[in-house]
Amino acid sequence: MFDWLFRYANPARFMGLSGALLPWLVAATVLTIGTGLYLGFSTPPDYQQGHTVLIMFVHVPAASMATIVYFSLAMASLFSLINRHILADVAARTAAPIGAVFTLLALATGSLWGKPMWGTWWEWDGRMTSTLVQFFLYLGYSALWNAIEDETRAARICAILALVGAVNIPIIKFSVDWWATLHQGESIVSGQVAPVFLAPLLTMMGGYFLLFLMLWLVRIRTMILERRARSLMVGVET
Amino acid sequence: MIASLTAEKLACTRGSRRLFEGLSFRVTAGQALALEGANGAGKTSLLRLVAGFLPQVSGRVFLTENGNEIAEPEGRGRFIGWLGHHDALKASFTVAEQLAFFGKLHGRTGDLPALLEQVGLTRQAALPCRYLSAGQRRRLALARLLLTARPLWLLDEPFAALDITGKALVAHLIALHCGQGGMVIAATHEPLGLNNETLRVGNESLNL
Amino acid sequence: MSPFSALLARDLRLTVREGGGVGLALGFFALVATLVPLGVGPDMVVLAKVGAGILWVGAALAALLSLDRLFQADYEDGSLDLIALSPLSLEGAAAAKMLAHWLATGLPLTLLSPLLSVFFDLPAPATAMLAASLLLGTPAVSAAGAIGASLTLSLRRGGLILPLIVLPLLTPAVIFGTGMVVEVQTGLATGALGFLAAFSLVTVLLSPFVAAMAVRLNLAG
């Protein structure tokens, strides 16, 4: 079923293809994020939030990336378990720190936004809380990776953890939302986004996604080169 | 009744090291096979591969029973008697308790006192395993091997830690098992004392 | 005696004999319940408000204490190889170990909780509901814990990583478990019982399969 994918999964072929793709990806990322920022700064201040609304353009995409990257990580893990392919192992492993940084960015910008809006640096709002739990999932995943010495074993074992986490994330989100409504957290933001903010927000989301793809590709390439260098030093062909 | 174990073109890689490849052998009922090779040549890995613990990178391993091939790892496992590096004993369990547990786990109600006598542990039956010497622990592991009554024995250094009488006991048990139509594969540096086949394990060209 | 009950009985006997898993968990639980009021202050109104949450978190943490050895001990001394070759499937073995862990920690912690509720001045209905929620939720703690234990069984310092990977997975159990008590305290029906039951059921049903998969991978390592 995934034969087409694995024609490109040979590490050598992957290096060639990704090397050709990378400059275009960098250009697209810079362009999209640049456009998004320009559009963002040209929006009028929100009647409720004033200029703080600008934080949303960096916060909301980061928060969605927290989930999207985890989903990508889980997909790579699935391939790692089923096809036992080294490229899938590397892809899963390298996605984790990128996702963790996006999650941290979402938490930090959420906190910066919260201070003027809520008057506190932290509010136990449903979305912020699930993002925090998500951050711990990334942390646990990376900790497990670093703790297991044998790389192949680490890849498979962590893949199981990633999939368990992926199954759990919707349940965690549901439970946290349930908990937030139970305790009647006074939510200032309604779910609605005013139409003027929609265009910059969507552009920024696209930009963040491209940024993720770019960073992911760079990290995968670096790790493959590292492995190659190591096997050259050990003197055994992999 | 298991008639034979066949291995075809097995290969094993640990980390980025290729231990062996293209390894083929066959053991039939009543036969013993000794595995030889330097430390780290992959004897233990080969045993774990046959037992179904290690995934097969390439090649095939299967048992033959009444003309049917049993290749699936968990299916093979049901016919294997295992004696590994570790003795798998719990410090706080007595010798008798330890043996009784494995009996129940395997659904076997053998004559435990007779087994203990056979391996020379009758006097230690009520002794917690933490007080056993290395040789006595090995003897208890042998009693467990007898209790589980599996046709294919996989033995990793069965003579380790044993004195002369202990080594004679192992050789005797192996001969007995083969005499009853069982099969034995043993990784060992010492002769099994049988008219057995020997297989050299290892990929000498890669062991720098 | 079936292979399943043989393993269950052995694990329980080991818990009793080696390292006092039961006493350790209960002691830890009681200490959490003692230290929190010392930190928060003796205001009974405040303590009654936070009591259920503290006791739930304390019980979950206490149950995790002995988890790292669940598979690790058998892995290190070679018992896991023999269990894998026995007539009992690894799924069955994981389920037996999970059940043994729950009987040795989850159940005693549940039974101790009414006594510790006194420290927080929880009224009788809330106390009863807390015990009920622990009875329903601690199996999920053992089940998610068994997954964590199977993933970390080859690690010498697995005990440090285990809580880090298991606790986030337990968020729903803590939320719904405490939610059941809040329900009695506020009198509002929220459906916490149903959610906790569903979460426990799914976790307990899936855990043996995931744990067995991780054990298989580790035996191949």
Side-chain angles (χ1 to χ4, degrees):
Chain A
M1 181 167 60
F2 293 103
D3 284 352
W4 58 272
L5 190 68
F6 283 90
R7 261 190 291 141
Y8 300 104
N10 169 297
R13 197 185 286 254
F14 171 83
M15 290 304 280
L17 195 75
S18 60
L21 193 66
L22 202 54
W24 296 97
L25 201 52
V26 175
T29 307
V30 171
L31 204 68
T32 316
I33 290 187
T35 314
L37 285 177
Y38 173 77
L39 287 176
F41 276 107
S42 31
T43 53
D46 184 72
Y47 75 97
Q48 241 183 352
Q49 308 177 22
H51 281 296
T52 40
V53 75
L54 289 175
I55 298 178
M56 297 313 272
F57 297 138
V58 276
H59 168 75
V60 175
S64 13
M65 285 320 288
T67 311
I68 291 173
V69 175
Y70 199 92
F71 181 73
S72 316
L73 190 160
M75 286 306 288
S77 299
L78 194 63
F79 282 122
S80 163
L81 274 181
I82 296 175
N83 299 303
R84 299 176 180 268
H85 200 287
I86 194 158
L87 202 56
D89 298 355
V90 173
R93 177 179 196 175
T94 48
I98 305 174
V101 170
F102 274 123
T103 314
L104 205 58
L105 182 67
L107 289 172
T109 49
S111 172
L112 285 176
W113 180 83
K115 186 62 184 167
M117 295 315 294
W118 288 320
T120 48
W121 292 111
W122 181 262
E123 193 67 33
W124 288 99
D125 150 81
R127 264 173 284 186
M128 284 289 271
T129 310
S130 358
T131 308
L132 184 63
V133 177
Q134 178 105 57
F135 181 66
F136 289 126
L137 284 177
Y138 278 118
L139 219 60
Y141 178 87
S142 297
L144 190 59
W145 244 110
N146 293 329
I148 303 178
E149 277 174 31
D150 180 75
E151 283 193 5
T152 318
R153 183 203 297 231
R156 309 278 181 267
I157 292 290
C158 290
I160 297 183
L161 178 63
L163 290 175
V164 169
V167 171
N168 232 291
I169 283 176
I171 306 176
I172 291 174
K173 281 210 193 314
F174 171 78
S175 68
V176 169
D177 286 344
W178 179 88
W179 168 85
T181 47
L182 179 70
H183 293 274
Q184 292 295 323
E186 52 236 78
S187 184
I188 298 177
V189 225
S190 62
Q192 295 292 318
V193 180
V196 265
F197 300 127
L198 207 57
L201 195 59
L202 289 179
T203 317
M204 283 305 280
M205 278 195 177
Y208 268 52
F209 188 70
L210 287 170
L211 179 66
F212 161 58
L213 286 185
M214 182 192 99
L215 292 173
W216 203 16
L217 220 54
V218 171
R219 289 287 299 141
I220 294 175
R221 285 170 59 83
T222 314
M223 197 153 278
I224 289 178
L225 290 175
E226 254 176 34
R227 276 173 187 247
R228 236 184 244 177
R230 205 178 330 139
S231 64
L232 278 178
M233 284 187 274
V234 174
V236 177
E237 298 206 10
T238 45
Chain B
M1 189 68 196
I2 297 293
S4 66
L5 168 87
T6 312
E8 290 171 354
K9 297 192 172 137
L10 295 183
C12 182
T13 310
R14 311 298 294 147
S16 56
R17 216 162 71 91
R18 173 58 53 103
L19 290 177
F20 51 80
E21 56 193 342
L23 200 68
S24 301
F25 59 87
R26 194 173 138 87
V27 185
T28 53
Q31 265 194 336
L33 178 71
L35 304 179
E36 289 181 352
N39 290 331
K43 300 189 295 290
T44 299
S45 293
L46 178 58
L47 289 177
R48 294 188 73 80
L49 218 159
V50 172
F53 294 137
L54 294 186
Q56 276 153 249
V57 190
S58 66
R60 253 156 59 81
V61 191
F62 57 89
L63 293 162
T64 314
E65 185 189 35
N66 302 327
N68 298 320
E69 286 181 8
I70 305 165
E72 192 254 334
E74 305 243 320
R76 286 202 315 264
R78 303 286 170 263
F79 297 98
I80 286 168
W82 180 260
L83 185 77
H85 272 298
H86 302 289
D87 297 315
L89 305 178
K90 298 293 175 193
S92 64
F93 273 40
T94 67
V95 168
E97 281 172 340
Q98 190 69 70
L99 206 53
F101 159 65
F102 280 103
K104 286 176 201 148
L105 185 67
H106 281 258
R108 301 204 68 92
T109 45
D111 184 355
L112 302 187
L115 275 176
L116 287 178
E117 197 184 336
Q118 200 175 353
V119 298
L121 284 178
T122 305
R123 268 196 321 133
Q124 287 78 15
L127 194 66
C129 291
R130 69 164 56 87
Y131 301 114
L132 295 183
S133 72
Q136 287 170 328
R137 295 170 64 88
R138 209 68 187 153
R139 285 165 183 263
L140 180 50
L142 285 169
R144 178 177 56 217
L145 186 66
L146 292 171
L147 175 64
T148 54
R150 295 284 178 82
L152 172 59
W153 284 4
L154 301 180
L155 316 176
D156 200 352
E157 302 292 355
F159 298 109
L162 287 169
D163 55 15
I164 295 174
T165 54
K167 286 176 182 174
L169 173 69
V170 173
H172 170 67
L173 292 178
I174 292 176
L176 210 61
H177 184 62
C178 289
Q180 291 164 349
M183 294 178 280
V184 176
I185 302 178
T188 177
H189 293 293
E190 299 175 46
L192 290 181
L194 276 174
N195 185 17
N196 58 278
E197 305 267 330
T198 299
L199 179 74
R200 262 202 93 67
V201 181
N203 198 339
E204 254 69 41
S205 62
L206 286 183
N207 289 333
L208 302 173
Chain C
M1 192 185 249
S2 71
F4 182 88
S5 41
L7 186 58
L8 177 65
R10 182 200 73 148
D11 269 28
L12 284 175
R13 192 184 280 187
L14 274 175
T15 313
V16 173
R17 286 195 193 166
E18 294 181 2
V22 183
L24 207 70
L26 291 180
F28 182 88
F29 189 32
L31 266 169
V32 170
T34 309
L35 281 182
V36 168
L38 291 179
V40 171
D43 185 342
M44 275 305 187
V45 180
V46 175
L47 288 177
K49 259 188 117 172
V50 297
I54 302 296
L55 290 176
W56 236 100
V57 172
L61 290 175
L64 290 187
L65 275 186
S66 55
L67 256 174
D68 59 319
R69 297 299 288 170
L70 193 64
F71 292 100
Q72 195 178 49
D74 283 342
Y75 175 74
E76 285 171 355
D77 71 12
S79 300
L80 208 50
D81 288 341
L82 288 158
I83 292 170
L85 293 173
S86 78
L88 184 63
S89 67
L90 277 176
E91 284 79 6
K97 286 183 158 291
M98 234 169 69
L99 182 56
H101 180 263
W102 183 74
L103 289 173
T105 54
L107 188 60
L109 289 169
T110 303
L111 296 177
L112 182 64
S113 70
L115 198 64
L116 297 181
S117 300
V118 174
F119 288 176
F120 296 89
D121 195 26
L122 291 185
T127 301
M129 194 51 95
L130 176 68
S133 74
L134 284 173
L135 192 67
L136 196 58
T138 43
V141 177
S142 290
I147 295 180
S150 66
L151 293 171
T152 55
L153 66 79
S154 70
L155 302 177
R156 195 153 295 169
R157 315 193 68 185
L160 298 177
I161 293 186
L162 189 85
L164 196 61
I165 63 179
V166 171
L167 284 173
L169 303 177
L170 286 177
T171 324
V174 173
I175 288 177
F176 296 134
T178 315
M180 278 172 67
V181 184
V182 173
E183 203 168 87
V184 200
Q185 286 172 328
T186 58
L188 294 168
T190 54
L193 171 71
F195 292 134
L196 182 63
F199 179 75
S200 263
L201 189 69
V202 171
T203 315
V204 167
L205 287 181
L206 288 183
S207 164
F209 296 97
V210 179
M213 195 171 162
V215 168
R216 259 182 216 111
L217 282 174
N218 271 310
L219 287 181

